Amino acid sequence: MTVLDQAGAPVAPAAAPRRRVPLPHLGERGGVVAAFVVLVVLASLTLDGFATWANVVNVVGANSVALALAVGSTFVIIAGGIDLSVVSMTAASGMVVGLLFAAGAPTALSVLGGLAAGLLLGVVNGVLVSWVRISFLVVTLGMASIAASIALLVADGSTINVFDLPAFGALNTFATGTLGPVPIVLLFDVALVLVAAGVLGYTRFGRAVFAVGSNPEAARLNGIDVRTTTLAVYAIAGLAAGVAGLVSVGRLTGASPQIDPSLLNGVLAAVLIGGTSFSGGKGSIGGTVLGVLFLGVVQNAMTLADISSFWRQAVNGVLLILAVGLGLVRTRAQRRERAAARAVGSGPTGTSGASRA
Amino acid sequence: MEIANAKAALSRGIALISQELTLAGDLSVAENLFMGRLPGTAGTVSWRRLRRAAAEVLDRYEMPVPPGARVADLPIELQQQVEIARALTVDPRVLILDEATSSLSEAAAERLLALIEERRAAGTAVVMITHRMNEIYRAADTAAVLRDGRIVASVPIPATPEPDLVRLMVGRELGDYYGRRTHAADPAVALHAEGVAAAGLLPTDLQVRAGEIVGIAGLSGSGKEVLGHALAGAVAAGGRLVVGGREVPLGRPTLRHGLGFVPEDRKAKALLLNRPVAENLALSWASEVFRLGLRRAGHERRRVAEAVRRYDIRTASPQLPAAALSGGNQQKITIGRLFDLDLPAYVLSEPTRGIDVGSKSAIYALLREQAARGAAVLFISSELNELCGVCDRVLTMYRGRVVAEFDGDGITEEAVTHAMVTGAPAAA
């Protein structure tokens, strides 16, 4: 099998009669990339105010919370799990930040407190999943409810306004300020994404995350500590929720115990659209960024086009099913081709393209 | 006659009792017994009639089980009996037993054979697929010998003596297919097990010298796979294990202590199927690929390229997922990544299962190469011809114990088969 498929997945010894250019990353998510490009071009041509720097800043700001959560969730989903509690943990750690500010704590302490709160909740998830071995769906569904209640209980359901507090100034600058024309939060997002991608791609831990998601028994027999790895990914998701809580408080100038019920769907949809798979062992931070951007830009374009926000979730849902469904159709076609190639030759390289040409 | 599916077979009076249980663990014994034909009218179930019918069946087969018990709560032997009772309740005209006694105790196996006797007297045709000689001579009128996917002989029982039957089961000459031994084994013991025991494995002593290939033969359920798992730390086990002179804790993976393990089920236990070939190889190389937790990408790439060449792994690119490769090439990954580490000892369980002849031959050559380098190799296999062709010594297991040992010219398929099916070496 030399020409793998129409989507241009890895290809071909040199002797192949027909040769495609290998597109290693585009291959997986080629459809989403193409759709994204078409969307941007169309929106630029038809919508006033879309192709402006101000709008870019706007999109980045509006999606920073989702991006942090999606990056954290990517670790969990690659490791074969899922964390349904990230949004609730965001609200809870945001409330901790708000309380600390309101109590007069200095900026650094409030920030660390928020991160610690997220991390702690994530570690609780991780311990219950990896050591007590309760299903991750049960644990994180439970934590979603518990953290939501914590967020309401700590301030009796009220929003904590921190706008006037001097210690809050730095956090506000972080979330809404700019460095020249560049939003500080954009620089932070870029750093976050690079660190996360580096950890997944270039560390022992990153490899362990993929291995545990792909085949925990094979990982274990090769000396990977499956339980610690599992615990760590939920801790990372919790920490990411802490980060999202900070960004959220910084942007809103207050800590609200209310949860946007569509946020979790959006985060998970973005991760899946980015090519990370619920079956584990497959995915990337780059894909997740693409997924968040895609859904964020769609939403932005809809707002600019004056389409009712009631449509937003339906559009997200349709895009999710389309992206994942089309991806599945493609992998199945690839699998059939490989099987056919094996039946004809002795291995994936065994036959030339001649059998097909 | 064409039989499209299991239901069609059942309706024609053909029932199968297999070694693999096909019960619904969360349902009751009664529901399992009458699965697919629960008593009742118009789509409803009459629980009263079901309970009564089930109680009758259980009574008839002297099974000490309440009809309402959940099947998964029963010990495996009782589950097997439920499976048997279910097949018998349809009053089959043809009854097929596929290694049905493998998880039964002697007493239960005896009871099953008695039931079969009863069935036969009532006019049921019985096909019994088994490895156990004594069962054949206890119950059968005719033995058909299946080899290489064909029936090669059909002989009357008990008129055919046991040694003749064993010869028919083996019947092949060995060529140079397995390679030849070219080195002398080191006297030093590289793999030393003392009283290693686990579920399905009685305390077992074992010594493999450096440079020696020791084979483990045995029927399914004899404990040979459990032995591999116990030594490799894949299951909880007790006893003492020394590899290359150093004590190795049991019950935890042993790779870092110098014992490489190739499990019998490569897809379930060895491969990251949706990950690239390169990552599958590097999975065993953690101590060399990572420094201070960071991946040495260049070093890894070079080692992967070298291993792909050295172990002749046929893949269009090391970035293809392992699932895209043929079984033989997948197995070259799981074996090559360990052999590349030049470990002092290896345990390989069914390393040639389900792969093509060319890859098999390549794997035998690699085994020899490792032994010649001074590794101790434990080679667990269900294929007698390869065991006899490759190994310096062969141990035979039966019901969780090593019951016989063969070496040199004593390694013959007849002798090993005899010990596998009878649990004792043939009287000289």
Side-chain angles (χ1 to χ4, degrees):
Chain A
M1 145 147 70
T2 44
V3 180
L4 252 182
D5 71 353
Q6 297 81 345
V11 188
R18 261 190 314 168
R19 192 172 177 182
R20 306 252 168 151
V21 182
L23 300 168
H25 289 295
L26 212 81
E28 275 285 301
R29 296 175 290 276
V32 180
V33 172
F36 182 64
V37 170
V38 170
L39 169 71
V40 168
V41 170
L42 278 181
S44 306
L45 293 175
T46 57
L47 295 174
D48 281 342
F50 178 81
T52 62
W53 183 245
N55 193 43
V56 171
V57 172
N58 179 20
V59 170
V60 167
N63 291 285
S64 289
V65 168
L67 181 74
L69 295 181
V71 165
S73 296
T74 303
F75 281 82
V76 177
I77 296 174
I78 288 176
I82 189 171
D83 190 338
L84 300 171
S85 64
V86 283
V87 174
S88 301
M89 293 193 296
T90 302
S93 41
M95 289 306 288
V96 169
V97 176
L99 282 177
L100 284 169
F101 274 127
T107 316
L109 183 64
S110 304
V111 167
L112 284 178
L115 294 177
L119 182 64
L120 178 71
L121 295 174
V123 167
V124 170
N125 276 338
V127 167
L128 291 175
V129 172
S130 67
W131 289 84
V132 189
R133 289 205 252 162
I134 306 173
S135 148
F136 57 82
L137 287 174
V138 173
V139 169
T140 61
L141 190 61
M143 178 58 81
S145 306
I146 294 165
S149 262
I150 292 175
L152 287 165
L153 285 168
V154 288
D156 212 14
S158 61
T159 298
I160 303 169
N161 190 346
V162 295
F163 182 66
D164 306 324
L165 302 170
F168 173 68
L171 185 61
N172 191 26
T173 308
F174 162 72
T176 58
T178 58
L179 209 65
V182 184
I184 294 171
V185 79
L186 174 59
L187 298 176
F188 174 78
D189 285 347
V190 170
L192 178 78
V193 163
L194 288 179
V195 167
V199 167
L200 265 185
Y202 290 93
T203 67
R204 187 171 186 153
F205 169 70
R207 274 291 171 80
V209 171
F210 280 105
V212 167
S214 181
N215 186 341
E217 183 64 6
R220 191 178 74 87
L221 286 174
N222 282 284
I224 289 172
D225 188 336
V226 175
R227 278 194 290 202
T228 306
T229 307
T230 306
L231 199 165
V233 294
Y234 286 96
I236 288 173
L239 187 61
V243 170
L246 286 173
V247 175
S248 168
V249 171
R251 276 176 60 79
L252 302 175
T253 69
S256 161
Q258 298 303 327
I259 295 163
D260 171 3
S262 72
L263 184 53
L264 181 62
N265 290 346
V267 166
L268 295 178
V271 175
L272 295 181
I273 287 173
T276 300
S277 143
F278 273 155
S279 57
K282 199 163 160 287
S284 67
I285 297 294
T288 294
V289 172
L290 179 65
V292 172
L293 265 181
F294 187 46
L295 292 185
V297 169
V298 167
Q299 192 198 328
N300 173 255
M302 283 168 60
T303 309
L304 290 176
D306 240 353
I307 299 170
S308 159
S309 68
F310 293 168
W311 281 102
R312 185 177 127 209
Q313 294 208 56
V315 170
N316 278 2
V318 169
L319 290 174
L320 169 65
I321 292 170
L322 268 182
V324 175
L326 291 177
L328 265 186
V329 168
R330 202 167 53 208
T331 20
R332 281 183 198 140
Q334 274 175 21
R335 211 171 292 156
R336 266 196 304 277
E337 283 194 37
R338 279 176 195 144
R342 266 213 295 278
V344 175
S346 57
T349 61
T351 53
S352 76
S355 60
R356 189 196 320 269
Chain B
M1 176 161 88
E2 192 175 312
I3 298 171
N5 52 41
K7 188 159 187 175
L10 260 182
S11 72
R12 289 184 167 84
I14 304 174
L16 169 74
I17 302 175
S18 78
Q19 175 183 19
E20 308 291 336
L21 295 175
T22 57
L23 300 171
D26 288 320
L27 299 186
S28 69
V29 170
E31 284 167 282
N32 270 286
L33 286 174
F34 291 91
M35 191 179 291
R37 49 202 177 84
L38 296 172
T41 39
T44 64
V45 176
S46 163
W47 295 104
R48 205 167 40 83
R49 269 166 62 197
L50 173 64
R51 236 184 335 268
R52 205 164 22 164
E56 236 166 66
V57 170
L58 294 171
D59 218 41
R60 193 157 126 223
Y61 298 115
E62 297 168 41
M63 290 174 54
V65 185
R70 185 171 162 267
V71 162
D73 295 336
L74 301 177
I76 195 82
E77 189 182 325
L78 284 179
Q79 292 188 25
Q80 178 71 292
Q81 290 191 41
V82 172
E83 175 108 13
I84 291 166
R86 180 173 66 185
L88 295 179
T89 51
V90 301
D91 277 323
R93 287 186 296 157
V94 179
L95 179 62
I96 304 171
L97 296 103
D98 182 4
E99 300 280 1
T101 56
S102 65
S103 54
L104 295 183
S105 68
E106 298 281 6
E110 195 54 41
R111 205 156 54 231
L112 175 62
L113 291 175
L115 279 174
I116 290 169
E117 197 61 39
E118 206 176 282
R119 278 282 144 198
R120 187 173 63 161
T124 301
V126 181
V127 179
M128 198 166 75
I129 301 162
T130 180
H131 274 108
R132 295 213 170 104
M133 282 292 160
N134 58 356
E135 286 174 11
I136 294 174
Y137 282 91
R138 163 91 163 63
D141 300 314
T142 306
V145 178
L146 198 66
R147 201 173 66 218
D148 299 332
R150 273 199 325 236
I151 289 186
V152 293
S154 197
V155 296
I157 299 292
T160 310
E162 197 173 305
D164 289 358
L165 193 55
V166 169
R167 210 161 300 136
L168 283 169
M169 288 166 61
V170 177
R172 117 171 61 203
E173 294 299 315
L174 302 182
D176 232 17
Y177 179 50
Y178 302 107
R180 281 282 156 253
R181 197 186 147 81
T182 54
H183 63 281
D186 201 298
V189 173
L191 175 68
H192 180 98
E194 237 179 74
V196 170
L201 177 71
L202 298 168
T204 299
D205 297 339
L206 189 75
Q207 299 197 345
V208 185
R209 292 194 296 275
E212 194 182 26
I213 303 178
V214 172
I216 303 286
L219 303 177
S220 73
S222 63
K224 67 178 191 302
E225 288 184 358
V226 184
L227 175 64
H229 289 180
L231 292 176
V235 295
R240 195 167 158 257
L241 176 65
V242 180
V243 173
R246 274 185 312 179
E247 195 93 15
V248 174
L250 285 165
R252 259 177 293 159
T254 49
L255 180 61
R256 77 173 73 179
H257 299 289
L259 178 78
F261 176 50
V262 175
E264 62 286 337
D265 188 344
R266 63 179 166 270
K267 287 190 177 161
K269 292 181 182 146
L271 288 168
L272 312 175
L273 283 169
N274 59 3
R275 301 305 301 162
V277 170
E279 262 183 63
N280 275 277
L281 285 167
L283 184 63
S284 302
W285 302 341
S287 55
E288 289 159 53
V289 166
F290 300 101
R291 182 144 299 165
L292 300 173
L294 294 180
R295 185 160 68 88
R296 303 156 72 198
H299 178 80
E300 182 188 38
R301 197 162 42 241
R302 276 191 300 279
R303 267 203 81 163
V304 165
E306 204 185 297
V308 165
R309 201 169 42 244
R310 177 140 175 244
Y311 300 102
D312 191 28
I313 299 164
R314 310 254 169 97
T315 174
S317 147
Q319 295 312 316
L320 271 189
L325 273 60
S326 70
N329 284 299
Q330 289 179 344
Q331 194 66 320
K332 287 181 204 161
I333 295 176
T334 67
I335 292 176
R337 71 185 179 198
L338 295 176
F339 282 3
D340 214 50
L341 293 169
D342 287 341
L343 300 171
Y346 297 96
V347 174
L348 297 96
S349 191
E350 308 286 358
T352 62
R353 179 178 283 175
I355 69 177
D356 61 288
V357 178
S359 300
K360 278 188 187 180
S361 187
I363 285 169
Y364 302 141
L366 289 171
L367 276 176
R368 290 216 175 271
E369 192 185 305
Q370 283 297 315
R373 183 187 57 76
V377 180
L378 194 70
F379 183 27
I380 301 166
S381 173
S382 301
E383 293 191 34
L384 273 186
N385 47 356
E386 70 178 14
L387 278 181
C388 296
V390 173
C391 298
D392 303 317
R393 261 194 305 148
V394 174
L395 308 180
T396 305
M397 296 191 65
Y398 187 83
R399 292 191 178 258
R401 285 187 306 131
V402 173
V403 293
E405 174 172 347
F406 305 93
D407 59 8
D409 293 338
I411 306 177
T412 64
E413 292 191 36
E414 282 86 351
V416 177
T417 306
H418 189 277
M420 276 168 59
V421 295
T422 62

